[in-house]
Structures are given as C-alpha cells and as structure tokens.
Amino acid sequence: MSDQNEVLFEIKREHLNTGLRGFPVGTCRTSSVDPLEGLHYVGYPIADLADLDPEAAAYLLLYKALPDADQLAAFKAELIKRSAVNPVVINTLKALPKEGHPMEWLIAGLNLLGMTSKTGSFEEDGLNVIARMPEVVAAIYRIRSGWGEPIASKPELGLIENFVQMLGVPGADPDKLTRLLRVFYVLHLDHGGGNLSTFVGKSVASGLADTYASLGGAMAALYGPRHGRANQDCLDFLRKVGTTDPDAVETFVRNELATGGLIFGFGHAVLRAEDPRAAVQYALGEQICPNDPLFITAKVMRERAVKVLKENPKVANPYPNVDAVSGTLLQAVGLEDSDYYTVLFGLSRCTGIAAQIIDERLKFRDGKGVAIYRCKYIAEGQPRRRLKA
Ligand code: MLT
C-alpha cells in the first residue's frame, strides 16, 4: 500500500507556466518512460516488444499482460468482428477540402466514426476505434492524395496487413511496407501518461465526452509541430541536409545552430539518452533500406549532430528521439509524402490513449474513475477593481 501522504513534488512559483513539466498528476498502468532506459510497456522494454504482433502489443496495453496464443487469436477475432466502418464516414471524407492537413482529416474521421457508431461505453468504443481506424486512415491517404477510390477492407489479414492492402501505395513493396508499419505501430502506441496528446485525450474524457471526441481532442494535440507533427518536420529537415558526407553534415548542423535553427529529431522532454525507439528503427533501416541516401544521412546525424549538440552544456538531451529516423524509413519504402506521417503516428497512438482512457474512466479509484480534470491557475495582473464607485 503506498503512503498516501508521501510528498512527490514540491511546487514552487518557478514551476508555474512550465507546462506541468515533471508534475505528477496521476498514475499510468500502460507504460512508463525512464529518462535513461526509455519506454516500457507494462514493464517490458520497448526494444523487446518491437517485433511483436501489433494486436499483441495493443492487447498488452489494454489488459496489462501479453496474450497467449488462444488469447491473441480471440482478440484478433474480436477486432475483425468490430472492424466495419459505416459507409457514411468514407463518403463524407470524400467531400473534405483536399488542402486540409491529413491530421485535420483524421480529426474529422474520428468525429465521423463517433457520429455514426459510438456506443457510449469507453471499453466498447475503445476496441471499436482500434479496429476501425486502419480503414479510416487508409481512406484518408487514398482520397486526399488522389491514389484512387478507397480499397475494400479485408480485416482477416491482420490490423497492419489489412492497412497496407487498403493503402495500395503505388509502386511500393508491400512486404517491406508491412514489416516497417508493424514495427512503427508498436513503437508509437503509448509513451507514458503525460505526453500532450494522451493527457488531452484523458482530460477530455474526464468530462465524460465519449472516446471519439476525446481522441479527436488528443489528435488535435498530436497535430502540433512540437508534438506528433515533429516527425513530418524531421524528414523535411533531413531532406534539407542534402548530403551524406559526415563533415558536410556536421557543418550543416553547426550552421543551423549558429542561425538559431533547430536540429529536428534530437532531444526529448523526458528522455536523457538515445530513445530506444530510435535505436530499433536504425537497426530496421539496416535491413530494409541500408543504401537509401536519406537513411545514410540520418545515420551520420546520429553521430555528428550528437557530437555537436553535446558541446553545449545547456542541451539536456543531445540524442536522437523516435522521429529522428522514422520518416526516413517511411519514404524509403514508398510513403514519400511527409504530410501523412503524423496520421500514421496517430493511428497507433489512439490505441494507447484509448487504453489509458479505459483505465482512467473505469478502473482507477476502485472503479469510480479519475475526477474531472480541474487544475488551479493563480491569478496574475488582475487587481480587484469596480466598474462603479
Ligand atoms: C513521444 O512519443 O515521444 C511523445 O508522445 C512525446 C512525449 O513523450 O512527450
């Protein structure tokens, strides 16, 4: 039994307006992020889980144990049963303005799923959203990028295998794409309780808005360039480096820093060592795209950007994060348009957030659920005044 009077964090005035950085807010049963050892799902280091079946990783976050073969088969069957998307969702997506960002489309897609199929149960809607999102995201890709009509779902193929067949990426090698997207999905599922999108999703749900509305809020948070959209910016940045020559890369990094630029894909709010999710992806890149020029640039950055960033003692974490190489691998297997990378992140992260929403709403505080989020702000610059004497 933990000591309910234990002091976890002393709030000083200097902590105000720092984005709740480091404030303990609640507990999380799905995952944890250690500054040095990185991400763990229910206690397992992420690198050990990277090759897991995506459905098994989702099961782990939902039920807090790895499934045995029978449990996994039953869970896959459950997702297949739940996978049908109301045609209104896809037809409405077809009418959206193409200039909208894919994340805006994703938020619309989640709202449409909610409008057409919410049950109001966090458990049911959580499972339904996990089962239905691949079709929605694939439709967003096809409709918005002009690849053609959405392709019919074959959920019996498996969550990611079906997603890849529904994407129908022109000219891509489906085996490599599947291999990458399976790992990408597992790596991006969850990252502790306090990352922005997860926190927002759980906050919205604490007002008892349904799962879809809560995930819509979460995805609006993920859309920001300081959060999920960093993976898009990161690939655009690597393309700008434009060389594989180590010395030229180092010069580029130094010039960027000297002119106040950011080194995308390096550093993290919590991590203080290389993100193990990045390490998994560098290793995967050696297998699926070792000669891709951007992959070579990304590897040189891993060495040279770290070297340069380490020279500045003010840089708390000079190491690569999850975004440092994910876009590089995606473009190498045929997903070249970086505008869609955050949607792929969202496809995965919604699963972790849905699992955390189920815990917060239905399990915590002996089933009473976490109270509605209501933190305190200290009034500033508001001396008492009267309009009339
Ligand atoms: C991540 O996956 O790295 C996050 O969502 C960002 C964070 O942990 O704040």
mmCIF file of all heavy atoms in Angstrom, residues 243-289:
data_model
loop_
_atom_site.group_PDB
_atom_site.id
_atom_site.type_symbol
_atom_site.label_atom_id
_atom_site.label_comp_id
_atom_site.label_asym_id
_atom_site.label_seq_id
_atom_site.Cartn_x
_atom_site.Cartn_y
_atom_site.Cartn_z
ATOM 1 N N THR A 243 23.135 15.935 -47.871
ATOM 2 C CA THR A 243 24.440 15.313 -48.116
ATOM 3 C C THR A 243 24.612 14.113 -47.184
ATOM 4 O O THR A 243 24.001 14.057 -46.111
ATOM 5 C CB THR A 243 25.595 16.319 -47.865
ATOM 6 O OG1 THR A 243 26.836 15.611 -47.915
ATOM 7 C CG2 THR A 243 25.497 17.013 -46.514
ATOM 8 N N THR A 244 25.454 13.180 -47.617
ATOM 9 C CA THR A 244 25.768 12.046 -46.744
ATOM 10 C C THR A 244 27.197 12.166 -46.210
ATOM 11 O O THR A 244 27.656 11.318 -45.453
ATOM 12 C CB THR A 244 25.635 10.704 -47.508
ATOM 13 O OG1 THR A 244 26.470 10.778 -48.657
ATOM 14 C CG2 THR A 244 24.208 10.422 -47.901
ATOM 15 N N ASP A 245 27.879 13.206 -46.638
ATOM 16 C CA ASP A 245 29.276 13.374 -46.216
ATOM 17 C C ASP A 245 29.324 13.838 -44.747
ATOM 18 O O ASP A 245 28.779 14.896 -44.411
ATOM 19 C CB ASP A 245 29.956 14.412 -47.119
ATOM 20 C CG ASP A 245 31.358 14.694 -46.627
ATOM 21 O OD1 ASP A 245 32.198 13.773 -46.699
ATOM 22 O OD2 ASP A 245 31.591 15.818 -46.107
ATOM 23 N N PRO A 246 29.985 13.065 -43.869
ATOM 24 C CA PRO A 246 29.951 13.383 -42.438
ATOM 25 C C PRO A 246 30.397 14.809 -42.118
ATOM 26 O O PRO A 246 29.742 15.501 -41.312
ATOM 27 C CB PRO A 246 30.901 12.357 -41.819
ATOM 28 C CG PRO A 246 30.864 11.205 -42.771
ATOM 29 C CD PRO A 246 30.680 11.796 -44.133
ATOM 30 N N ASP A 247 31.469 15.284 -42.743
ATOM 31 C CA ASP A 247 31.942 16.630 -42.414
ATOM 32 C C ASP A 247 30.953 17.692 -42.885
ATOM 33 O O ASP A 247 30.705 18.690 -42.194
ATOM 34 C CB ASP A 247 33.332 16.880 -43.012
ATOM 35 C CG ASP A 247 34.368 16.007 -42.308
ATOM 36 O OD1 ASP A 247 34.100 15.607 -41.151
ATOM 37 O OD2 ASP A 247 35.406 15.698 -42.922
ATOM 38 N N ALA A 248 30.374 17.454 -44.068
ATOM 39 C CA ALA A 248 29.388 18.423 -44.581
ATOM 40 C C ALA A 248 28.138 18.420 -43.695
ATOM 41 O O ALA A 248 27.538 19.478 -43.441
ATOM 42 C CB ALA A 248 29.024 18.089 -46.024
ATOM 43 N N VAL A 249 27.756 17.236 -43.201
ATOM 44 C CA VAL A 249 26.595 17.154 -42.303
ATOM 45 C C VAL A 249 26.900 17.949 -41.024
ATOM 46 O O VAL A 249 26.080 18.737 -40.549
ATOM 47 C CB VAL A 249 26.263 15.674 -41.967
ATOM 48 C CG1 VAL A 249 25.250 15.599 -40.828
ATOM 49 C CG2 VAL A 249 25.731 14.951 -43.193
ATOM 50 N N GLU A 250 28.106 17.762 -40.508
ATOM 51 C CA GLU A 250 28.468 18.474 -39.273
ATOM 52 C C GLU A 250 28.444 19.994 -39.487
ATOM 53 O O GLU A 250 27.935 20.747 -38.657
ATOM 54 C CB GLU A 250 29.850 18.015 -38.798
ATOM 55 C CG GLU A 250 30.197 18.614 -37.447
ATOM 56 C CD GLU A 250 31.489 18.062 -36.855
ATOM 57 O OE1 GLU A 250 31.797 16.858 -37.056
ATOM 58 O OE2 GLU A 250 32.197 18.841 -36.190
ATOM 59 N N THR A 251 28.978 20.416 -40.624
ATOM 60 C CA THR A 251 28.957 21.851 -40.941
ATOM 61 C C THR A 251 27.524 22.354 -41.021
ATOM 62 O O THR A 251 27.191 23.430 -40.504
ATOM 63 C CB THR A 251 29.675 22.114 -42.289
ATOM 64 O OG1 THR A 251 30.964 21.528 -42.192
ATOM 65 C CG2 THR A 251 29.766 23.575 -42.631
ATOM 66 N N PHE A 252 26.651 21.561 -41.642
ATOM 67 C CA PHE A 252 25.243 21.943 -41.759
ATOM 68 C C PHE A 252 24.639 22.133 -40.356
ATOM 69 O O PHE A 252 23.971 23.135 -40.081
ATOM 70 C CB PHE A 252 24.469 20.861 -42.528
ATOM 71 C CG PHE A 252 23.002 21.151 -42.632
ATOM 72 C CD1 PHE A 252 22.501 21.890 -43.702
ATOM 73 C CD2 PHE A 252 22.109 20.716 -41.653
ATOM 74 C CE1 PHE A 252 21.142 22.182 -43.788
ATOM 75 C CE2 PHE A 252 20.753 21.010 -41.734
ATOM 76 C CZ PHE A 252 20.274 21.733 -42.800
ATOM 77 N N VAL A 253 24.912 21.181 -39.475
ATOM 78 C CA VAL A 253 24.356 21.255 -38.110
ATOM 79 C C VAL A 253 24.872 22.518 -37.409
ATOM 80 O O VAL A 253 24.115 23.269 -36.789
ATOM 81 C CB VAL A 253 24.725 19.986 -37.301
ATOM 82 C CG1 VAL A 253 24.345 20.139 -35.832
ATOM 83 C CG2 VAL A 253 24.045 18.759 -37.899
ATOM 84 N N ARG A 254 26.170 22.772 -37.533
ATOM 85 C CA ARG A 254 26.752 23.953 -36.875
ATOM 86 C C ARG A 254 26.117 25.232 -37.429
ATOM 87 O O ARG A 254 25.775 26.149 -36.679
ATOM 88 C CB ARG A 254 28.267 23.991 -37.084
ATOM 89 C CG ARG A 254 28.987 22.916 -36.298
ATOM 90 C CD ARG A 254 30.501 23.106 -36.315
ATOM 91 N NE ARG A 254 31.154 21.954 -35.713
ATOM 92 C CZ ARG A 254 31.215 21.706 -34.401
ATOM 93 N NH1 ARG A 254 30.669 22.553 -33.553
ATOM 94 N NH2 ARG A 254 31.802 20.620 -33.927
ATOM 95 N N ASN A 255 25.939 25.297 -38.743
ATOM 96 C CA ASN A 255 25.335 26.492 -39.350
ATOM 97 C C ASN A 255 23.897 26.682 -38.880
ATOM 98 O O ASN A 255 23.470 27.800 -38.595
ATOM 99 C CB ASN A 255 25.349 26.399 -40.881
ATOM 100 C CG ASN A 255 26.758 26.592 -41.415
ATOM 101 O OD1 ASN A 255 27.637 27.095 -40.703
ATOM 102 N ND2 ASN A 255 27.000 26.164 -42.648
ATOM 103 N N GLU A 256 23.163 25.586 -38.827
ATOM 104 C CA GLU A 256 21.759 25.684 -38.366
ATOM 105 C C GLU A 256 21.718 26.272 -36.956
ATOM 106 O O GLU A 256 20.953 27.185 -36.670
ATOM 107 C CB GLU A 256 21.099 24.295 -38.321
ATOM 108 C CG GLU A 256 20.661 23.773 -39.649
ATOM 109 C CD GLU A 256 19.542 24.586 -40.287
ATOM 110 O OE1 GLU A 256 18.478 24.737 -39.689
ATOM 111 O OE2 GLU A 256 19.765 25.091 -41.407
ATOM 112 N N LEU A 257 22.570 25.720 -36.081
ATOM 113 C CA LEU A 257 22.561 26.184 -34.688
ATOM 114 C C LEU A 257 22.994 27.646 -34.603
ATOM 115 O O LEU A 257 22.424 28.436 -33.852
ATOM 116 C CB LEU A 257 23.471 25.301 -33.825
ATOM 117 C CG LEU A 257 22.948 23.874 -33.587
ATOM 118 C CD1 LEU A 257 24.008 23.022 -32.898
ATOM 119 C CD2 LEU A 257 21.671 23.894 -32.744
ATOM 120 N N ALA A 258 23.984 28.000 -35.412
ATOM 121 C CA ALA A 258 24.507 29.372 -35.374
ATOM 122 C C ALA A 258 23.453 30.378 -35.822
ATOM 123 O O ALA A 258 23.450 31.529 -35.392
ATOM 124 C CB ALA A 258 25.745 29.479 -36.255
ATOM 125 N N THR A 259 22.528 29.931 -36.668
ATOM 126 C CA THR A 259 21.499 30.870 -37.147
ATOM 127 C C THR A 259 20.182 30.669 -36.397
ATOM 128 O O THR A 259 19.108 31.023 -36.877
ATOM 129 C CB THR A 259 21.276 30.713 -38.668
ATOM 130 O OG1 THR A 259 21.034 29.321 -38.941
ATOM 131 C CG2 THR A 259 22.472 31.164 -39.473
ATOM 132 N N GLY A 260 20.273 30.047 -35.220
ATOM 133 C CA GLY A 260 19.088 29.904 -34.360
ATOM 134 C C GLY A 260 18.145 28.795 -34.781
ATOM 135 O O GLY A 260 17.017 28.716 -34.288
ATOM 136 N N GLY A 261 18.577 27.921 -35.687
ATOM 137 C CA GLY A 261 17.699 26.830 -36.153
ATOM 138 C C GLY A 261 17.642 25.685 -35.150
ATOM 139 O O GLY A 261 18.435 25.615 -34.206
ATOM 140 N N LEU A 262 16.683 24.811 -35.391
ATOM 141 C CA LEU A 262 16.524 23.630 -34.526
ATOM 142 C C LEU A 262 17.112 22.419 -35.234
ATOM 143 O O LEU A 262 17.113 22.347 -36.458
ATOM 144 C CB LEU A 262 15.044 23.351 -34.285
ATOM 145 C CG LEU A 262 14.269 24.355 -33.452
ATOM 146 C CD1 LEU A 262 12.789 23.978 -33.436
ATOM 147 C CD2 LEU A 262 14.818 24.409 -32.039
ATOM 148 N N ILE A 263 17.582 21.467 -34.428
ATOM 149 C CA ILE A 263 18.047 20.205 -35.010
ATOM 150 C C ILE A 263 16.933 19.192 -34.775
ATOM 151 O O ILE A 263 16.790 18.642 -33.685
ATOM 152 C CB ILE A 263 19.393 19.753 -34.378
ATOM 153 C CG1 ILE A 263 20.426 20.888 -34.464
ATOM 154 C CG2 ILE A 263 19.919 18.488 -35.037
ATOM 155 C CD1 ILE A 263 20.710 21.390 -35.883
ATOM 156 N N PHE A 264 16.136 18.990 -35.794
ATOM 157 C CA PHE A 264 14.931 18.159 -35.654
ATOM 158 C C PHE A 264 15.291 16.697 -35.410
ATOM 159 O O PHE A 264 16.210 16.171 -36.019
ATOM 160 C CB PHE A 264 14.058 18.273 -36.906
ATOM 161 C CG PHE A 264 13.416 19.630 -37.038
ATOM 162 C CD1 PHE A 264 14.095 20.678 -37.617
ATOM 163 C CD2 PHE A 264 12.147 19.849 -36.544
ATOM 164 C CE1 PHE A 264 13.520 21.939 -37.712
ATOM 165 C CE2 PHE A 264 11.552 21.098 -36.642
ATOM 166 C CZ PHE A 264 12.242 22.140 -37.216
ATOM 167 N N GLY A 265 14.526 16.076 -34.514
ATOM 168 C CA GLY A 265 14.726 14.649 -34.248
ATOM 169 C C GLY A 265 15.688 14.382 -33.110
ATOM 170 O O GLY A 265 15.984 13.224 -32.813
ATOM 171 N N PHE A 266 16.161 15.438 -32.460
ATOM 172 C CA PHE A 266 17.102 15.254 -31.351
ATOM 173 C C PHE A 266 16.537 15.939 -30.107
ATOM 174 O O PHE A 266 15.949 17.014 -30.196
ATOM 175 C CB PHE A 266 18.481 15.818 -31.718
ATOM 176 C CG PHE A 266 19.146 14.973 -32.779
ATOM 177 C CD1 PHE A 266 18.722 15.039 -34.101
ATOM 178 C CD2 PHE A 266 20.131 14.053 -32.440
ATOM 179 C CE1 PHE A 266 19.274 14.217 -35.074
ATOM 180 C CE2 PHE A 266 20.699 13.227 -33.403
ATOM 181 C CZ PHE A 266 20.272 13.313 -34.732
ATOM 182 N N GLY A 267 16.731 15.269 -28.938
ATOM 183 C CA GLY A 267 16.217 15.822 -27.691
ATOM 184 C C GLY A 267 14.820 15.294 -27.391
ATOM 185 O O GLY A 267 14.142 14.747 -28.276
ATOM 186 N N HIS A 268 14.413 15.433 -26.147
ATOM 187 C CA HIS A 268 13.080 14.970 -25.726
ATOM 188 C C HIS A 268 12.756 15.581 -24.370
ATOM 189 O O HIS A 268 13.666 15.849 -23.579
ATOM 190 C CB HIS A 268 13.054 13.438 -25.635
ATOM 191 C CG HIS A 268 11.676 12.876 -25.496
ATOM 192 N ND1 HIS A 268 11.046 12.726 -24.279
ATOM 193 C CD2 HIS A 268 10.792 12.434 -26.431
ATOM 194 C CE1 HIS A 268 9.843 12.214 -24.476
ATOM 195 N NE2 HIS A 268 9.661 12.030 -25.767
ATOM 196 N N ALA A 269 11.457 15.767 -24.129
ATOM 197 C CA ALA A 269 11.026 16.375 -22.858
ATOM 198 C C ALA A 269 11.439 15.538 -21.649
ATOM 199 O O ALA A 269 11.751 16.076 -20.594
ATOM 200 C CB ALA A 269 9.508 16.550 -22.871
ATOM 201 N N VAL A 270 11.435 14.231 -21.793
ATOM 202 C CA VAL A 270 11.687 13.358 -20.637
ATOM 203 C C VAL A 270 12.997 12.587 -20.777
ATOM 204 O O VAL A 270 13.762 12.448 -19.815
ATOM 205 C CB VAL A 270 10.518 12.342 -20.482
ATOM 206 C CG1 VAL A 270 10.766 11.404 -19.315
ATOM 207 C CG2 VAL A 270 9.187 13.074 -20.313
ATOM 208 N N LEU A 271 13.264 12.092 -21.969
ATOM 209 C CA LEU A 271 14.440 11.221 -22.164
ATOM 210 C C LEU A 271 15.742 12.000 -22.019
ATOM 211 O O LEU A 271 15.835 13.166 -22.416
ATOM 212 C CB LEU A 271 14.387 10.573 -23.551
ATOM 213 C CG LEU A 271 13.192 9.643 -23.784
ATOM 214 C CD1 LEU A 271 13.104 9.256 -25.250
ATOM 215 C CD2 LEU A 271 13.324 8.406 -22.907
ATOM 216 N N ARG A 272 16.750 11.335 -21.473
ATOM 217 C CA ARG A 272 18.089 11.933 -21.350
ATOM 218 C C ARG A 272 19.142 11.008 -21.954
ATOM 219 O O ARG A 272 20.323 11.083 -21.634
ATOM 220 C CB ARG A 272 18.399 12.206 -19.859
ATOM 221 C CG ARG A 272 17.495 13.278 -19.260
ATOM 222 C CD ARG A 272 17.742 14.657 -19.919
ATOM 223 N NE ARG A 272 16.777 15.665 -19.511
ATOM 224 C CZ ARG A 272 15.688 15.996 -20.201
ATOM 225 N NH1 ARG A 272 15.390 15.391 -21.332
ATOM 226 N NH2 ARG A 272 14.878 16.947 -19.781
ATOM 227 N N ALA A 273 18.724 10.106 -22.797
ATOM 228 C CA ALA A 273 19.629 9.189 -23.506
ATOM 229 C C ALA A 273 18.988 8.926 -24.864
ATOM 230 O O ALA A 273 17.871 9.388 -25.117
ATOM 231 C CB ALA A 273 19.762 7.890 -22.724
ATOM 232 N N GLU A 274 19.662 8.174 -25.721
ATOM 233 C CA GLU A 274 19.048 7.888 -27.024
ATOM 234 C C GLU A 274 17.747 7.118 -26.817
ATOM 235 O O GLU A 274 17.683 6.178 -26.026
ATOM 236 C CB GLU A 274 20.001 7.060 -27.897
ATOM 237 C CG GLU A 274 19.406 6.811 -29.266
ATOM 238 C CD GLU A 274 20.361 6.118 -30.220
ATOM 239 O OE1 GLU A 274 21.146 6.820 -30.878
ATOM 240 O OE2 GLU A 274 20.313 4.880 -30.307
ATOM 241 N N ASP A 275 16.730 7.555 -27.537
ATOM 242 C CA ASP A 275 15.418 6.919 -27.455
ATOM 243 C C ASP A 275 15.537 5.494 -27.998
ATOM 244 O O ASP A 275 15.941 5.306 -29.150
ATOM 245 C CB ASP A 275 14.444 7.755 -28.317
ATOM 246 C CG ASP A 275 12.996 7.339 -28.146
ATOM 247 O OD1 ASP A 275 12.747 6.168 -27.820
ATOM 248 O OD2 ASP A 275 12.120 8.210 -28.375
ATOM 249 N N PRO A 276 15.198 4.476 -27.197
ATOM 250 C CA PRO A 276 15.308 3.101 -27.716
ATOM 251 C C PRO A 276 14.453 2.875 -28.955
ATOM 252 O O PRO A 276 14.745 1.998 -29.780
ATOM 253 C CB PRO A 276 14.832 2.226 -26.552
ATOM 254 C CG PRO A 276 14.213 3.133 -25.554
ATOM 255 C CD PRO A 276 14.724 4.518 -25.807
ATOM 256 N N ARG A 277 13.399 3.680 -29.127
ATOM 257 C CA ARG A 277 12.577 3.543 -30.340
ATOM 258 C C ARG A 277 13.364 3.981 -31.565
ATOM 259 O O ARG A 277 13.163 3.475 -32.676
ATOM 260 C CB ARG A 277 11.290 4.370 -30.203
ATOM 261 C CG ARG A 277 10.379 3.913 -29.076
ATOM 262 C CD ARG A 277 9.239 4.890 -28.838
ATOM 263 N NE ARG A 277 9.721 6.215 -28.468
ATOM 264 C CZ ARG A 277 8.952 7.288 -28.285
ATOM 265 N NH1 ARG A 277 7.645 7.178 -28.461
ATOM 266 N NH2 ARG A 277 9.466 8.440 -27.934
ATOM 267 N N ALA A 278 14.271 4.941 -31.369
ATOM 268 C CA ALA A 278 15.136 5.337 -32.492
ATOM 269 C C ALA A 278 16.115 4.208 -32.791
ATOM 270 O O ALA A 278 16.317 3.832 -33.954
ATOM 271 C CB ALA A 278 15.885 6.629 -32.152
ATOM 272 N N ALA A 279 16.703 3.623 -31.741
ATOM 273 C CA ALA A 279 17.686 2.550 -31.943
ATOM 274 C C ALA A 279 17.061 1.383 -32.720
ATOM 275 O O ALA A 279 17.674 0.831 -33.649
ATOM 276 C CB ALA A 279 18.216 2.073 -30.594
ATOM 277 N N VAL A 280 15.809 1.034 -32.370
ATOM 278 C CA VAL A 280 15.122 -0.054 -33.084
ATOM 279 C C VAL A 280 14.997 0.302 -34.566
ATOM 280 O O VAL A 280 15.223 -0.537 -35.453
ATOM 281 C CB VAL A 280 13.715 -0.295 -32.469
ATOM 282 C CG1 VAL A 280 12.856 -1.158 -33.374
ATOM 283 C CG2 VAL A 280 13.829 -0.907 -31.078
ATOM 284 N N GLN A 281 14.673 1.556 -34.837
ATOM 285 C CA GLN A 281 14.453 1.944 -36.242
ATOM 286 C C GLN A 281 15.767 2.040 -37.029
ATOM 287 O O GLN A 281 15.802 1.710 -38.215
ATOM 288 C CB GLN A 281 13.691 3.267 -36.301
ATOM 289 C CG GLN A 281 12.274 3.132 -35.744
ATOM 290 C CD GLN A 281 11.523 4.446 -35.796
ATOM 291 O OE1 GLN A 281 10.885 4.761 -36.794
ATOM 292 N NE2 GLN A 281 11.604 5.231 -34.744
ATOM 293 N N TYR A 282 16.847 2.491 -36.386
ATOM 294 C CA TYR A 282 18.132 2.483 -37.099
ATOM 295 C C TYR A 282 18.477 1.043 -37.496
ATOM 296 O O TYR A 282 18.937 0.781 -38.614
ATOM 297 C CB TYR A 282 19.264 3.048 -36.224
ATOM 298 C CG TYR A 282 19.237 4.546 -35.998
ATOM 299 C CD1 TYR A 282 19.113 5.072 -34.721
ATOM 300 C CD2 TYR A 282 19.364 5.439 -37.066
ATOM 301 C CE1 TYR A 282 19.099 6.446 -34.494
ATOM 302 C CE2 TYR A 282 19.352 6.816 -36.849
ATOM 303 C CZ TYR A 282 19.215 7.309 -35.560
ATOM 304 O OH TYR A 282 19.203 8.662 -35.350
ATOM 305 N N ALA A 283 18.244 0.102 -36.571
ATOM 306 C CA ALA A 283 18.575 -1.307 -36.858
ATOM 307 C C ALA A 283 17.687 -1.843 -37.981
ATOM 308 O O ALA A 283 18.160 -2.566 -38.863
ATOM 309 C CB ALA A 283 18.415 -2.143 -35.592
ATOM 310 N N LEU A 284 16.414 -1.458 -37.959
ATOM 311 C CA LEU A 284 15.500 -1.922 -39.015
ATOM 312 C C LEU A 284 15.907 -1.340 -40.369
ATOM 313 O O LEU A 284 15.856 -2.019 -41.401
ATOM 314 C CB LEU A 284 14.064 -1.518 -38.642
ATOM 315 C CG LEU A 284 12.948 -1.975 -39.566
ATOM 316 C CD1 LEU A 284 12.925 -3.504 -39.689
ATOM 317 C CD2 LEU A 284 11.592 -1.487 -39.057
ATOM 318 N N GLY A 285 16.328 -0.081 -40.351
ATOM 319 C CA GLY A 285 16.777 0.566 -41.591
ATOM 320 C C GLY A 285 17.937 -0.194 -42.214
ATOM 321 O O GLY A 285 18.025 -0.311 -43.445
ATOM 322 N N GLU A 286 18.840 -0.734 -41.392
ATOM 323 C CA GLU A 286 19.970 -1.511 -41.924
ATOM 324 C C GLU A 286 19.467 -2.711 -42.716
ATOM 325 O O GLU A 286 20.127 -3.188 -43.625
ATOM 326 C CB GLU A 286 20.885 -2.017 -40.797
ATOM 327 C CG GLU A 286 21.626 -0.944 -40.028
ATOM 328 C CD GLU A 286 22.622 -0.152 -40.877
ATOM 329 O OE1 GLU A 286 22.829 -0.482 -42.061
ATOM 330 O OE2 GLU A 286 23.172 0.840 -40.348
ATOM 331 N N GLN A 287 18.274 -3.179 -42.339
ATOM 332 C CA GLN A 287 17.739 -4.349 -43.044
ATOM 333 C C GLN A 287 16.887 -3.969 -44.255
ATOM 334 O O GLN A 287 16.926 -4.651 -45.265
ATOM 335 C CB GLN A 287 16.899 -5.185 -42.084
ATOM 336 C CG GLN A 287 17.720 -5.784 -40.957
ATOM 337 C CD GLN A 287 16.840 -6.342 -39.852
ATOM 338 O OE1 GLN A 287 15.752 -6.840 -40.100
ATOM 339 N NE2 GLN A 287 17.320 -6.241 -38.617
ATOM 340 N N ILE A 288 16.098 -2.896 -44.138
ATOM 341 C CA ILE A 288 15.173 -2.637 -45.253
ATOM 342 C C ILE A 288 15.644 -1.565 -46.237
ATOM 343 O O ILE A 288 15.192 -1.544 -47.368
ATOM 344 C CB ILE A 288 13.732 -2.328 -44.766
ATOM 345 C CG1 ILE A 288 13.692 -1.057 -43.912
ATOM 346 C CG2 ILE A 288 13.118 -3.491 -44.021
ATOM 347 C CD1 ILE A 288 12.268 -0.659 -43.521
ATOM 348 N N CYS A 289 16.547 -0.686 -45.828
ATOM 349 C CA CYS A 289 16.965 0.360 -46.779
ATOM 350 C C CYS A 289 18.402 0.822 -46.504
ATOM 351 O O CYS A 289 18.641 2.038 -46.398
ATOM 352 C CB CYS A 289 16.000 1.544 -46.741
ATOM 353 S SG CYS A 289 15.846 2.275 -45.095
#
